[in-house]
Amino acid sequence: LLEKMADVRLKEAALIVGVVAACYWNSLFCGFVFDDVSAILDNKDLHPSTPLKNLFQNDFWGTPMSEERSHKSYRPLTVLTFRLNYLFSELNAVSYHFLNLVFHVVVCIVFLKVCKLFLDNRSSVVASVLFAVHPIHTEAVTGVVGRAELLSSIFFLAAFLSYTKSKGPDNTIAWTPIAVTVFLVAVATLCKEQGITVVGICCVYEVFIAQGYTLPTLLDTAVQILRGKGSIPFSMLQTLLKLIVLMFSTLLLVVVRVQVIQSQLPVFTRFDNPAAVSPSPARQLTFNYLLPVNAWLLLNPSELCCDWTMGTIPLVESLLDVRNIATLTFFCFLGALIVFSLRYPGDSSKTVLMALCLIVLPFIPASNLFFPVGFVVAERVLYVPSMGFCILVAHGWKKLSNKSVLRKISWVCLAAVLFTHALKTLHRNWDWESEYTLFMSALKVNKNNAKLWNNVGHALENEKNFERALQFFIQATQVQPDDIGAHMNVGRTYKNLNKTKEAEESYMIAKSLMPQIIPGKKYAARVAPNHLNVYINLANLIRANESRLEEADQLYRQAISMRPDFKQAYISRGELLLKMNKPLKAKEAYLRALELDRTNADLWYNLAIVYIELKDPTEALKNFNHALELNPAHKLALFNSALLMQESGDARLRPEAKQRLLHYVKEEPQDANGYFNLGMLAMDDKKDTEAEAWMKKAIRLQPNFRSALFNLALLYSQTSKELMALPILEDLLRYYPDHTKGLILKGDILMNQKKDIIGAKMCFEKILELDPNNVQGKHNLCVVYFEERDLIKAEKCLVETLALAPHEEYIQRHLNIVRSKIASLGAVEQSSLPSEGTAAAEGKKKSFQNLKEIKNEKKTTQSTADNNKEHSKSKKLTEKNSVDKEIPKKSTKEIKDIEKKRVAALKRLEEIERILNGE
């Protein structure tokens, strides 16, 4: 009979699908908000590149369970569904919300099947529809992380339904349904921890529903056995056997769960749950008062809030607090229902009993009564308890509607409740559209929670609206003056507004609120690990001042002394030590960080930069490669390892360097540096057409790209396209009028190709204005004087040039030629120099040497750890001027070969330091 009643008709399922769709269609337009950011956007376990085994080693947020900062929330199957979402749509929020909606439909249908075990068809549909539209579920359904509740509930209800089939004919035991129940309990627990509580519901069902016992019957039987007047009935022995199997399997699950969290409870602070650290009786009074608060949210979900931590609900510190009346009333009502359900036989009492089980047992893990949790109230944990509430409401409505006097009014009231709840749910979904709308809606309900003010500030900060964000952060410090995080937020925002003095003051206030170190006591157990970032943020701020580097280092060391496994402190200190020109100590810091986390690609990248500082390019390349093994899309590792390969001079590495640069420009298509360096590689490989295309693309993206402009002009000049180089040089000199090599090249082209002596002269004179001791510029100006037939001025000029570079043989030779011309005035008409070519041509040869330059913009990489960020260094390539020397008389081919070799040898690696914005 039960199985027949429990069948769900197609039209009932269709009704539920329609109701859920009508209430939650707008959830598809919501983004990732609040906890979704940590669970989805920042969780590397979603990425296909992360091994599947990591899902079973990390918590819900992607933090290894072994780490102290882990929340110990072990939900690998829920994370697996996120990973499937990512596989099909990456970070498209619509697919995540749609799957949540589907899971909610499934829960509602399975819940309808459960209701039919204890209610008639009509009341079951009422309970299921009320559950489908109840506004308290918006956090679980519209918030993506609420999927843990949805998945756990599906297997929770399935486990219970399976257990209801464990009673065979003539009260025999059907072991297969029990085995299936145990399996489903384990699956439910791997979706969310509260799944294990279904075992308690199964036990109650077995004793009071399946066997039909009442509390008086059990007491009478126990008394008779104790008096020796009777034996335990066989049916009761069978019941005990089933209960023992259930309890043993539960105990096994609990042992495994304790092993997973490594016997450590998560670390929460007084800001997360103020009552948890309060003395008696405030602790007990407040925790008991939270029970009627949760019950009221089920009864009247008009004022919903996404965050009930910190000062949302003031502590109940006295027995005289009027709120104790609500607690007393709640327990009286609950006690009356328990007595009714356990004392009297009949269907009504059984329905009430099962409803109470669904309300009470799944809520126990979140009740704070047995162990503290990281929140005061959380609407999503009421998802399963609301099932019991909906059964109670439907059962009460059935009683009223059966009375002819109240039938019409009961229908009107039911319709009003369902309509208003559906409307509230639809409206509430829009609050989850963005972080700003979510937290602003929460502030309408509660203005005493500093976390809400902080979160609105974060939302505005993400939109670069720092002025408004600052107002909310300051309000957070006023609502909760001892909130370390709020003062850190104020400091960071002042820094973003370039108000360093105010930023430092705010960080100092936050630092003063940190507890003092107690020798022998573990620091992390007394404060949120993220609060230690105040030392990192303050150090990152003051290290911009060169005179305060030691002070910054002291702050990093202080953070490390408080928490020796504080990875971020080692990373930041490594950056500082590089700035202080202490690469060996920086290497030690990074190696220590790698001991704590060998899977962090940024750390391997940073270590590569240290090896560049230590002039060890081989080790640097190895570490770049290690970073790319961990993260093949690591942009800076791709870019800088490619440059390192290019600069090695090993032609065998060029194909790989090209592939990495191609990968880089795919990741960063708007970065001109990638295309420029592809052009440089092509020039090295003598692929002039390809080099020209890459250079032009770099210039299109960045019209004032100094190095791209010069090297494109140089490329044209080297490939006998000197006239095409002129407009490029004009652009270069418009942006950079003091570009000496550009002026030299332009002057050479004007003199030798355009025969524009005046224009060339202006170029060389400009060079000497910028640098009177520039040998190339001065020598070429001497050539101009010679071309102008002003031999006296040319002689004087060459004498001055020779004084600047007395060892340059070609200058002495040219001086001798000019003096010879002066001595042979009869040969004045012969205006060319000896067989090496004209002085201008000689100058041109010199100007082509040492012209090739490379300049890359600084690049940085960053990774978030609360209010603090992890740092990486980068490098750039720059020009190196070698000493200009005249080449002995050679054939044209030999001269060209020498020039090409020297040009190719000009590039070298110069390590630079990046000053990081550490927040």
Side-chain angles (χ1 to χ4, degrees), residues 29 115 212 216 355 400 429 462 519 547 576 603 652 656 683 685 698 745 835 885 918:
F29 299 96
C115 289
L400 291 175
N429 287 335
N462 290 337
S547 65
L576 177 67
L603 281 175
R652 293 171 300 176
E656 177 62 21
M683 288 179 72
D685 288 333
L745 185 55
S835 59
K885 294 183 180 179

Side-chain angles (χ1 to χ4, degrees), residues 37 40 99 442 511 577 691 785 801:
V37 175
I40 308 295
L99 197 53
K511 182 171 173 283
L577 290 167
Y785 293 149
T801 307

